[in-house]
Amino acid sequence: MRFAQRVESLPPYLFVEISKKIAAKRAKGEDVVSFGIGDPDIPTPSHIIERLCQAAQDPVNHRYPETEGLPELRQAIAAWYKNRFDVSLDPDKEVLPLIGAKEGVAHIALCFIDPGDIALVPDPGYPVYSIGTALVGGESYFLPLTDENDFLPDLSGIPGDVLRRAKLLWLNYPNNPTGAVAGLDFFNEAVRFAKQHDLVVCHDAPYTEIAYDGYRPVSFMQAEGAMEVGVEFHSLSKSYNMTGWRIGMVVGNAEMVNALKTVKSNLDSGIPQAIQYAAIEALTGSQECIAEHNAVYQKRRDLIMETLNKIGVEARAPRGGLYVWARVPQGYTSVGFATELLEEVGVVVTPGIGYGPSGEGYIRLSLTIQDADLVKGLSLLSGWHAKKQG
Ligand SMILES: *Cc1c(COP(=O)(O)O)cnc(C)c1O
């Protein structure tokens, strides 16, 4: 069989080795506690599920949906942005529902990247930015996110020859995997930079509703001139524990939204309508669930931070997102440390290198772990430390 080069050249999936080790441990009947995946463990709120079930009964919703989504959903998204961020959007031109943000994040490369073009991609970062770029024949130029820079990219450090070939700048705050947040100053700077170098900005923002200590993340669309140069990807996955239902959205610059709509109208046939009605309920119904979920995550974050401090693993307490980004102890690589924790105490963490070269030296711990498992996992980590101390 002769595969296309784009498939042949996909990077090997780093987590395969770890998954094998987990499976082997479990097969031996050994317990494994996972801080690995970022997938909300709390169920979708019941009022949303009720609306979904009700809509599923209606034969109108059994037929092909429209690519651009139900007008009521686009209106609900626009109203939510107005209410949450004071950003005004035209629901017909500046809003497009997606089959999850990931789908749009991958497909927008088709709108902007020709073979040989460059996408500027945060490192570490969500792998889809660079893989989506590679699948259309583009190149990624990694922007290191470092502790010294508060995990914000140094835009002024990008070489001129890279900038001349660059067409798209990816950003993601609150950030996966570093847990960093960005303020309006940074987004204003990104807009100025994009205008200066004729780039489009794609801000991936699925975590704006997941925040702690009273912090309220901002939207890129609030930045001065953002609507001229960029879009923001958002999702119901993390805000409303709806990862399994697959629904998100892109909002912002009308030409960019329209280009993605054109591509998608040729590739997919929209989002099942019952799920669109569930999304309308999520966006327009009671928002109390968000504060409740954040309280759960914040408690978990604090427990994790307490243990990491005790065992001498350095990390900053994240103000947003679902992850703790922690430095591996001296003398370890990220894969070496993750492997040791798995083999010695059955605790799964994600090695930072899986998110890009600048992820070396870090591990990621997810807050989407049930409380009982979390307590068990943290006590196993303390046990590992005690053993090391002799
Ligand atoms: C979870 C996640 C997404 C995917 O969201 P979906 O709407 O479930 O596809 C996109 N970007 C980042 C950074 C994420 O962590």
Side-chain angles (χ1 to χ4, degrees):
M1 211 171 282
R2 294 174 305 142
F3 291 101
Q5 248 173 24
R6 75 178 63 83
V7 171
E8 299 273 350
S9 64
L10 279 180
Y13 192 51
L14 177 99
F15 307 111
V16 168
E17 280 307 307
I18 293 194
S19 304
K20 273 192 214 152
K21 290 198 177 104
I22 296 172
K25 267 199 165 282
R26 288 203 166 129
K28 282 194 276 177
E30 290 174 33
D31 240 359
V32 175
V33 178
S34 178
F35 290 89
I37 41 165
D39 185 355
D41 56 299
I42 309 168
T44 310
S46 56
H47 66 284
I48 300 172
I49 299 297
E50 275 156 31
R51 186 71 189 91
L52 173 67
C53 294
Q54 189 193 9
Q57 300 283 356
D58 186 345
V60 168
N61 298 326
H62 300 175
R63 310 191 67 193
Y64 280 125
E66 300 280 356
T67 298
E68 68 257 35
L70 292 163
E72 301 93 307
L73 174 57
R74 283 183 273 111
Q75 284 152 16
I77 292 168
W80 185 84
Y81 256 83
K82 181 72 191 162
N83 188 38
R84 171 67 178 86
F85 298 117
D86 199 22
V87 166
S88 301
L89 298 165
D90 177 340
D92 294 328
K93 297 199 175 95
E94 295 169 339
V95 174
L96 178 65
L98 299 169
I99 313 169
K102 183 180 186 180
E103 178 261 304
V105 166
H107 283 145
I108 199 148
L110 286 161
C111 304
F112 290 99
I113 303 292
D114 284 317
D117 289 344
I118 287 179
L120 304 169
V121 170
D123 160 36
Y126 185 61
V128 187
Y129 314 137
S130 58
I131 300 213
T133 303
L135 283 174
V136 300
E139 287 169 39
S140 291
Y141 180 84
F142 286 131
L143 307 175
L145 307 184
T146 64
D147 203 2
E148 300 75 62
N149 285 341
D150 294 328
F151 302 106
L152 298 171
D154 172 18
L155 300 176
S156 66
I158 305 169
D161 59 322
V162 170
L163 274 175
R164 274 186 291 281
R165 286 167 57 209
K167 294 183 78 177
L168 192 161
L169 168 63
W170 277 108
L171 299 172
N172 162 227
Y173 294 97
N175 186 258
N176 176 9
T178 68
V181 296
L184 264 191
D185 285 355
F186 174 72
F187 288 146
N188 285 332
E189 180 197 333
V191 170
R192 281 194 300 273
F193 184 81
K195 285 187 176 176
Q196 193 180 346
H197 298 285
D198 195 17
L199 303 170
V200 293
V201 179
C202 291
H203 184 233
D204 186 22
Y207 296 105
T208 64
E209 302 319 287
I210 318 283
Y212 314 113
D213 310 322
Y215 180 72
R216 295 278 276 168
V218 294
S219 162
F220 171 74
M221 302 319 303
Q222 289 171 275
E224 187 76 41
M227 202 64 92
E228 294 158 48
V229 295
V231 290
E232 182 159 87
F233 291 88
H234 213 299
S235 174
L236 282 82
S237 285
K238 316 290 170 32
S239 311
Y240 303 101
N241 304 333
M242 288 173 68
T243 49
W245 302 114
R246 310 310 305 134
I247 187 158
M249 62 273 207
V250 63
V251 307
N253 182 273
E255 283 178 86
M256 293 176 69
V257 167
N258 189 54
L260 188 55
K261 191 195 311 186
T262 306
V263 165
K264 277 170 56 60
S265 66
N266 288 287
L267 288 181
D268 67 60
S269 299
I271 305 151
Q273 279 187 186
I275 292 172
Q276 296 191 50
Y277 282 110
I280 294 170
E281 175 63 30
L283 293 168
T284 61
S286 165
Q287 302 296 301
E288 270 169 44
C289 56
I290 290 181
E292 288 166 18
H293 303 155
N294 284 344
V296 172
Y297 295 136
Q298 183 170 320
K299 215 169 87 198
R300 292 176 182 172
R301 177 201 68 170
D302 292 343
L303 287 171
I304 291 177
M305 290 305 299
E306 197 183 296
T307 298
L308 293 183
N309 282 333
K310 259 195 281 192
I311 68 171
V313 169
E314 270 176 62
R316 296 200 207 183
R319 286 204 287 167
L322 287 174
Y323 313 101
V324 174
W325 186 240
R327 273 190 200 270
V328 304
Q330 285 261 308
Y332 288 94
T333 63
S334 65
V335 170
F337 189 52
T339 306
E340 175 162 326
L341 292 181
L342 177 59
E343 285 179 348
E344 297 202 0
V345 287
V347 170
V348 177
V349 299
T350 312
I353 188 84
Y355 301 95
S358 298
E360 184 50 270
Y362 291 89
I363 52 166
R364 192 192 80 168
L365 292 91
S366 169
L367 304 178
T368 60
I369 171 172
Q370 304 246 317
D371 293 338
D373 288 336
L374 177 102
V375 169
K376 189 158 103 190
L378 293 179
S379 114
L380 289 167
L381 287 178
S382 297
W384 166 82
H385 180 67
K387 203 160 79 181
K388 279 275 151 189
Q389 300 296 95

